Amino acid sequence: PGNCWAFKGHQGQVVIKLPARVYLTAITLQHISKDVSPSGTIISAPKDIAVFVSLLGTSGGVDADREEETLLGVFIYNVEKNPTETFPLKNMLLPRAFSHVKLLVKSNWGNPWYTCIYRVKVHGK
């Protein structure tokens, strides 16, 4: 507990550069459970989440730094369920491989000072 990636407030984002282009199928998010929390609460867990993908910088042309994102899913991380939750992504709408994944946290479960993420796993081929 406490060994997490924390960001200030209840909103934040992280962009993950993948080692190769990946056809994404799911994303897994992990937080600690109430049972192991020193305070007995997990209000710092993310709640409303959106997942985007990008081919950032892959065109090589003048617009290489222009970010074009595609939304692959909007989810609610449920603190009453398993601390590790996997969410299927809607890559069928845009069946191609991507090099960047953005996890956007829109809210948490009530902590006004910070939000914690313990692990993010990206699944795909």
Side-chain angles (χ1 to χ4, degrees):
N3 189 15
C4 69
W5 175 67
F7 55 87
K8 187 176 180 178
H10 64 276
Q11 294 181 334
Q13 65 183 22
V14 61
V15 176
I16 301 166
K17 182 179 180 188
L18 303 171
R21 286 190 183 186
V22 176
Y23 177 87
L24 301 169
T25 57
I27 193 159
T28 297
L29 199 62
Q30 184 177 346
H31 195 274
I32 59 171
S33 68
K34 288 181 187 176
D35 298 340
V36 298
S37 172
S39 67
T41 68
I42 50 175
I43 61 173
S44 68
K47 182 179 180 182
D48 295 299
I49 303 156
V51 177
F52 296 85
V53 288
S54 171
L55 290 168
L56 186 66
T58 57
S59 67
V62 176
D63 296 329
D65 293 331
R66 196 177 89 227
E67 190 171 350
E68 292 184 27
E69 295 181 336
T70 302
L71 177 66
L72 290 189
V74 177
F75 310 103
I76 296 176
Y77 177 84
N78 188 339
V79 292
E80 299 302 324
K81 290 186 175 180
N82 189 321
T84 303
E85 289 184 57
T86 300
F87 305 99
L89 298 173
K90 298 176 179 131
N91 205 5
M92 303 81 70
L93 304 174
L94 197 64
R96 57 199 278 199
F98 292 93
S99 56
H100 292 78
V101 177
K102 179 167 92 174
L103 181 69
L104 173 65
V105 177
K106 298 178 179 182
S107 67
N108 67 21
W109 284 95
N111 189 319
W113 301 287
Y114 62 91
T115 301
C116 278
I117 296 175
Y118 281 83
R119 180 172 289 150
V120 175
K121 293 181 185 178
V122 178
H123 306 273
K125 302 173 191 166

